[in-house]
Amino acid sequence: MTTDRIWSYAPGSGHAEGQDLTGFTVAASDGTIGHVAREAAPHGMRHLVVDTGVWMFARSVLVPAGIVTGVDPRARRITLACTGSVAKAAPRFRTDSETMDRGYLTTVGDYYQRRPPRGATAA
């Protein structure tokens, strides 16, 4: 995954430009992790803020658009190319202002790019 691709929905993911994903259920490769609280794309770095509810002690996580592998508008469900533990271990999301901070977003993108591709095992 190149740096630019981490911030863009993959072709074939089912994402349609202009589609509002707010409220969609978010599923990692090993189960549901929450729902989309909001979308943002500052600096061209498109991402989702996922409210995990009680799953991770009511914390939110930021997920770059390039991690989305599927969008099912009928089921209002998004699938990710990572496990729940990978999302949980992502750089901590604390405030809304971080979604506008290029440095924080770069750190998050770098984190997800270092993860093994879906279905691969870490070395």
Side-chain angles (χ1 to χ4, degrees):
M1 214 176 268
T2 68
T3 300
D4 294 337
R5 290 174 58 198
I6 195 76
W7 301 110
S8 301
Y9 290 97
S13 69
H15 179 264
E17 200 58 44
Q19 181 178 30
D20 182 7
L21 302 176
T22 304
F24 277 46
T25 298
V26 179
S29 60
D30 57 352
T32 300
I33 65 168
H35 69 275
V36 177
R38 65 187 168 284
E39 303 171 77
H43 316 293
M45 301 167 112
R46 185 178 271 184
H47 61 271
L48 304 173
V49 174
V50 179
D51 178 0
T52 63
V54 296
W55 180 72
M56 290 190 308
F57 309 105
R59 94 175 230 213
S60 293
V61 294
L62 191 137
V63 177
I67 300 301
V68 173
T69 57
V71 177
D72 181 344
R74 286 184 186 219
R76 297 186 46 83
R77 184 176 173 89
I78 294 169
T79 54
L80 305 178
C82 68
T83 63
S85 61
V86 166
K88 182 178 180 180
R92 184 108 178 145
F93 175 81
R94 292 183 181 89
T95 66
D96 289 340
S97 64
E98 287 174 319
T99 65
M100 302 301 282
D101 180 341
R102 184 186 296 268
Y104 171 74
L105 294 172
T106 298
T107 299
V108 171
D110 291 346
Y111 167 80
Y112 279 101
Q113 287 179 348
R114 288 191 310 266
R115 305 291 55 111
R118 185 178 186 171
T121 57

